[in-house]
Amino acid sequence: MTNQELIALAIKAKQNSYSPYSGYKVGAALLCKNGKVYLGTNVENCGYSPSNCAERSAIFSAISNGEREFEKLAIVGSSNDIAYPCGICRQVIVELLPNADIICAKDENTFKVCNIAELLPNAFTPADTDTVKPRQ
Ligand code: THU
């Protein structure tokens, strides 16, 4: 699947956005190594804190369905610019899809292919907690 095709799916997912508080719609499409695609959108809440980002909706849906191997993740927002993942989503990405291409897009013609190392340098990763695990 091309980057453009994955972005088109993220744009479709964006149509499902539940964002009455911010008015900012976001869509994400996550391509697994097995070819399956999981979509996500942002889901807001009147309590604000319970809101979820599009990227995490897509990633958690894929994980919930047993996926572990990921190829690339496309993200689009509803501003007139390229959409980049928020800090919390970057932290989730570095743990669950550290080697995937992160396609930050405005539309099918305007996008940047990034990797998580550049989006989240010097990240806190599972390796950092290895030394603090209790002995069995
Ligand atoms: N949002 C995302 O879905 N992904 C991001 O990476 C940035 C922010 C959502 C959360 C909230 O529903 C709205 O955009 C405004 O912050």
Side-chain angles (χ1 to χ4, degrees), residues 1-11 29-32 35 37 71-75 101 103 105 107-109 111 113:
M1 175 172 293
T2 66
N3 291 341
Q4 283 83 357
E5 287 169 333
L6 198 64
I7 291 167
L9 291 174
I11 291 170
L30 175 58
L31 176 67
C32 304
V37 175
E71 191 84 35
K72 49 190 174 183
L73 171 70
I75 306 154
D101 282 344
I103 303 158
D107 54 40
E108 291 96 327
N109 303 312
F111 60 89
V113 181

Side-chain angles (χ1 to χ4, degrees), residues 53 55-56 75 84-93 116 120:
C53 288
E55 301 91 311
R56 278 177 289 142
I75 306 154
Y84 291 94
C86 79
I88 292 173
C89 289
R90 293 178 196 209
Q91 182 66 33
V92 170
I93 290 167
I116 194 60
L120 191 65

Side-chain angles (χ1 to χ4, degrees), residues 22 24 26 42 44 52-55 84-86 89:
S22 73
Y24 181 64
V26 187
N42 55 328
E44 298 184 347
N52 205 47
C53 288
E55 301 91 311
Y84 291 94
C86 79
C89 289

Side-chain angles (χ1 to χ4, degrees), residues 15 19 26 35 41 47 49 82-83 92 95-96 104 108-109 118 136:
Q15 291 168 1
S19 45
V26 187
T41 193
S49 301
I82 287 175
V92 170
E95 172 138 356
L96 295 172
C104 305
E108 291 96 327
N109 303 312
E118 59 184 312
Q136 300 294 334

